[in-house]
């Protein structure tokens, strides 16, 4: 009688049927399940538990767990079942939908293999090394058991081929973020950025998804020979937005305009009558511009360069020359300082005249003193 009942039950189940089963026992290489409305034992071989390699069954299922299974073989005393087939069928349907829509989803990295990463999606998914990040990765060991956002870039059910990309997701996110930052930028805004790259003509600063250029002339109020003298890669700097070209995605920035100007409180550092050292920065037809403080230049008018008549400043001075100058006038509001070299020459002449007068008043001359000594020798 029992055999007849089993025969009836067995005839009701066919290869390909999807049934529910409850795990009753977990062995190392197989799992036993009880099948509803059947007195036959259900057996899941370890190879049918997952699309990926499984070392032992307990890594995948636990006793008492309810599973959806596919019948892959009907034997007289048991049903051979597969969890893998059910998961794969559902996975392919889901992946086809995600592939067609371009959906971004999460996947757990199960294994690191030569050439990339393996994920379990119900079917085996592969992320090639070149599609993991948008930069070179030397060692992928840290990616094991890590969840990545991915999208399907290639799908072929007949070849059981599923190619995924995390890089595509990262690049899309960066593009979106770049556009958002570009749209939000306003000329005159002051913000922080990170120096990404240094060139001969300036530094590129990341504003959070898009780079802007700080030209060498905008790095400091002082003269800059090369950008690396002022900034370094990875440095966080404050910048002011000078211009935004959204069509060509070009942004001009300035570090200089976020710093206190060299003319700030210049009258606290200089006074009329001060004698200071300076360097000739520019020679023009009407005089010489001399830098007397970092970023602060004063004009030595041609009439204040020398006591003798000169046709051009080039007759007396050259660019880069160190000179002593006297401060004649300071106009902080208009950022103008008048300087003189001639006045210092006059001081030298005056000092010499005073020396001569002192000699005369002392009652003897140098020549007389030498003459007396010569007489004594005779």
């Amino acid at each position: 009688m029992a055999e007849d009942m089993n025969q009836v039950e067995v005839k009701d189940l066919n290869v390909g049927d999807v049934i529910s089963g409850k795990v009753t026992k977990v062995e190392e290489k197989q799992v036993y399940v009880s099948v509803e409305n059947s007195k036959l034992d259900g057996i899941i071989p370890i190879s049918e538990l997952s699309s990926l390699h499984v070392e032992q069954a307990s890594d995948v299922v636990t006793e008492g767990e309810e599973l959806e299974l596919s019948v892959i073989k009907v034997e007289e005393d048991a049903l051979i079942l597969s969890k893998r087939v059910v998961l794969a069928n559902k996975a392919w349907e889901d992946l086809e939908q995600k592939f067609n829509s371009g959906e971004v989803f999460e996947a757990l990295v199960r294994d690191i293999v030569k050439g990339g990463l393996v994920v379990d999606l119900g079917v085996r998914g592969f992320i090639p090394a070149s599609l993991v990040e948008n930069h070179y990765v030397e060692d992928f060991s840290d990616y094991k058991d890590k969840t990545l956002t991915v999208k399907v870039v290639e799908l072929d059910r007949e070849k059981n081929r599923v190619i995924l990309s995390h890089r595509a997701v990262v690049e899309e996110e960066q593009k979106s973020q770049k556009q958002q930052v570009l749209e939000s930028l306003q000329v005159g805004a002051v913000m922080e950025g990170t120096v990404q790259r240094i060139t001969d003509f300036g530094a590129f600063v990341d504003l959070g998804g898009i780079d802007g250029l700080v030209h060498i002339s905008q790095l400091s109020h002082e003269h800059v020979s090369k950008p690396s003298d002022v900034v370094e890669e990875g440095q966080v700097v404050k910048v002011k937005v000078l211009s935004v070209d959204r069509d060509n995605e070009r942004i001009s920035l300035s570090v200089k305009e976020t710093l206190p100007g060299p003319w700030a409180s210049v009258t606290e550092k200089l006074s009329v009558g001060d004698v200071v050292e300076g360097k000739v920065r520019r020679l023009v037809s009407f005089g010489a511009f001399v830098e007397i403080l970092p970023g602060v230049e004063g004009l030595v008018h041609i009439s204040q360069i020398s006591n003798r008549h000169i046709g051009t400043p080039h007759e007396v001075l050259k660019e880069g020359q160190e000179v002593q100058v006297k401060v004649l006038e300071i106009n902080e509001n208009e950022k103008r300082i008048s300087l003189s070299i001639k006045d210092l020459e006059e001081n030298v002449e005056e000092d010499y005249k005073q020396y001569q007068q002192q000699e005369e008043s002392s009652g003897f001359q140098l020549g007389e003193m030498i003459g007396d000594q010569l007489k004594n020798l005779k």
Side-chain angles (χ1 to χ4, degrees):
M1 186 71 177
E3 290 180 1
D4 292 340
M5 288 181 63
N6 282 342
Q7 289 296 325
V8 173
E9 294 294 344
V10 170
K11 287 179 181 177
D12 289 342
L13 294 174
N14 299 302
V15 173
D17 288 347
V18 177
I19 61 173
S20 295
K22 185 176 182 179
V23 178
T24 58
K25 185 179 181 182
V26 180
E27 294 183 348
E28 185 178 356
K29 298 300 180 183
Q30 62 186 6
V31 175
Y32 290 91
V33 298
S34 62
V35 179
E36 190 177 353
N37 298 324
S38 174
K39 292 184 178 180
L40 292 177
D41 287 331
I43 300 175
I44 312 173
I46 192 170
S47 61
E48 293 298 325
L49 285 173
S50 172
S51 61
L52 301 183
H53 174 72
V54 178
E55 288 292 336
Q56 50 187 19
S58 58
D59 292 338
V60 181
V61 296
T62 57
E63 193 171 319
E65 185 177 355
E66 293 281 349
L67 301 176
E68 195 172 7
L69 305 163
S70 176
V71 179
I72 58 174
K73 190 175 182 181
V74 179
E75 297 183 346
E76 291 184 5
D77 56 349
L79 298 172
I80 308 303
L81 307 171
S82 175
K83 179 186 176 187
R84 179 183 61 81
V85 170
V86 174
L87 292 175
N89 289 334
K90 287 184 176 181
W92 280 110
E93 292 175 6
D94 184 49
L95 288 169
E96 285 172 359
Q97 183 180 357
K98 285 180 167 62
F99 179 58
N100 292 330
S101 65
E103 181 183 340
V104 174
F105 58 97
E106 291 186 342
L108 181 66
V109 178
R110 292 293 190 184
D111 201 7
I112 312 296
V113 296
K114 186 176 181 180
L117 312 176
V118 175
V119 299
D120 184 8
L121 303 170
V123 294
R124 181 186 176 95
F126 182 61
I127 310 176
S130 60
L131 297 183
V132 175
E133 300 289 356
N134 62 344
H135 58 268
Y136 174 72
V137 178
E138 185 174 355
D139 183 8
F140 287 101
S141 57
D142 290 341
Y143 286 80
K144 181 74 181 291
D145 298 325
K146 183 178 179 180
T147 299
L148 297 177
T149 50
V150 297
K151 64 186 302 183
V152 183
V153 294
E154 188 178 337
L155 194 66
D156 190 330
R157 187 165 184 172
E158 290 184 3
K159 295 180 180 178
N160 200 35
R161 182 180 175 89
V162 181
I163 304 298
L164 308 169
S165 175
H166 174 60
R167 175 179 175 173
V169 177
V170 171
E171 290 177 342
E172 286 179 6
E173 289 174 347
Q174 289 180 338
K175 184 177 180 181
S176 175
Q177 185 179 9
K178 181 178 181 179
Q179 193 61 36
Q180 288 177 11
V181 173
L182 190 61
E183 292 299 326
S184 67
L185 285 177
Q186 298 295 327
V187 173
V190 175
M191 57 202 303
E192 285 192 341
T194 304
V195 178
Q196 291 293 321
R197 198 159 46 91
I198 295 175
T199 66
D200 292 338
F201 54 85
F204 287 93
V205 175
D206 178 19
L207 300 177
I210 188 169
D211 289 350
L213 173 64
V214 182
H215 189 266
I216 189 171
S217 63
Q218 292 295 328
L219 283 170
S220 175
H221 289 292
E222 300 178 31
H223 174 72
V224 178
S225 298
K226 53 183 180 178
S228 57
D229 291 340
V230 183
V231 292
E232 59 184 20
E233 290 184 4
Q235 180 180 348
V236 176
V237 293
K238 189 175 288 186
V239 293
K240 182 177 181 180
V241 180
L242 299 182
S243 66
V244 181
D245 183 346
R246 291 184 172 85
D247 293 335
N248 296 305
E249 298 184 351
R250 291 179 181 173
I251 304 165
S252 294
L253 305 171
S254 174
V255 171
K256 180 174 73 175
E257 293 201 16
T258 67
L259 304 172
W263 286 85
S265 305
V266 72
T267 52
E268 296 177 7
K269 304 169 186 174
L270 292 173
S271 300
V272 172
D274 285 352
V275 176
V276 295
E277 293 281 347
K279 179 177 287 189
V280 178
R281 290 298 185 190
R282 285 179 296 141
L283 293 175
V284 292
S285 60
F286 54 85
F289 286 95
V290 177
E291 185 179 43
I292 53 177
L293 290 172
V296 176
E297 293 181 1
L299 173 65
V300 182
H301 190 269
I302 190 169
S303 63
Q304 291 293 330
I305 290 178
S306 177
N307 284 305
R308 65 183 177 85
H309 174 74
I310 58 173
T312 68
H314 295 81
E315 294 177 24
V316 180
L317 302 172
K318 60 182 179 179
E319 291 183 359
Q321 181 180 344
E322 299 281 350
V323 293
Q324 269 199 333
V325 293
K326 181 180 179 181
V327 179
L328 300 181
E329 182 185 354
I330 301 174
N331 188 327
E332 187 173 344
N333 293 331
E334 296 183 10
K335 298 181 179 178
R336 291 190 311 187
I337 296 178
S338 296
L339 305 171
S340 175
I341 296 174
K342 182 177 74 172
D343 275 11
L344 299 181
E345 290 182 352
E346 290 176 350
N347 288 339
V348 170
E349 291 294 327
E350 185 64 32
D351 290 342
Y352 184 70
K353 287 178 182 178
Q354 289 180 6
Y355 166 72
Q356 281 186 321
Q357 290 172 0
Q358 186 177 1
E359 269 197 330
E360 291 171 359
S361 64
S362 66
F364 65 91
Q365 297 293 327
L366 180 62
E368 293 174 353
M369 182 176 70
I370 294 173
D372 290 341
Q373 290 178 347
L374 289 172
K375 287 177 182 179
N376 292 334
L377 289 173
K378 292 178 181 179

